[in-house]
Amino acid sequence: MFKYYNMNQLVLPLDLEIKLQENDIAFHIHYLVESIPDEAFLPFLRNTGCPAYHPRMMLKIILCAYSQSVFSGRKMEALLKDSIRMMWLAQGYEPSYR
């Protein structure tokens, strides 16, 4: 079971997508990860314990951080609070570096 994650919903109070430039790397990362078939993520599905963050979201966060030469989990967590593109890709979720 995964935590609810939907890129097609309206995010209130502000839709961060309008803050990104037309050719932002976040859009390319989003389309790249969304092109991966759902079957590729099924091995990560667990029905016990706390629901995990969706693997698509986590992959988007990691790829975006790597594109900005950020390789530390703690720095990725900081980017999720500071970077509009990271906030948009995570749709408001802020996974811990742990």
Side-chain angles (χ1 to χ4, degrees), residues 12-32:
L12 296 175
L14 174 67
D15 188 8
L16 297 174
E17 186 174 354
I18 61 173
K19 293 282 193 179
L20 298 174
Q21 294 180 0
E22 188 175 308
N23 251 355
D24 197 283
I25 188 72
F27 292 121
H28 300 290
I29 291 170
H30 168 68
Y31 295 128
L32 173 72

Side-chain angles (χ1 to χ4, degrees), residues 10-98:
L10 177 64
V11 178
L12 296 175
L14 174 67
D15 188 8
L16 297 174
E17 186 174 354
I18 61 173
K19 293 282 193 179
L20 298 174
Q21 294 180 0
E22 188 175 308
N23 251 355
D24 197 283
I25 188 72
F27 292 121
H28 300 290
I29 291 170
H30 168 68
Y31 295 128
L32 173 72
V33 174
E34 290 296 322
S35 70
I36 300 172
D38 289 334
E39 295 80 30
F41 297 106
L42 288 179
F44 302 107
L45 181 62
R46 300 287 183 265
N47 292 323
T48 58
C50 181
Y53 290 106
H54 201 285
R56 283 189 195 277
M57 182 194 70
M58 297 303 290
L59 183 57
K60 289 176 188 179
I61 290 170
I62 291 170
L63 291 175
C64 187
Y66 285 4
S67 73
Q68 297 174 47
S69 298
V70 173
F71 304 102
S72 162
R74 292 178 187 201
K75 289 181 182 178
M76 287 182 202
E77 183 180 3
L79 276 178
L80 283 165
K81 297 175 182 164
D82 296 334
S83 170
I84 292 176
R85 71 174 48 108
M86 291 285 274
M87 288 181 205
W88 178 72
L89 287 171
Q91 289 293 290
Y93 286 110
E94 293 180 2
S96 171
Y97 68 90
R98 296 175 194 207

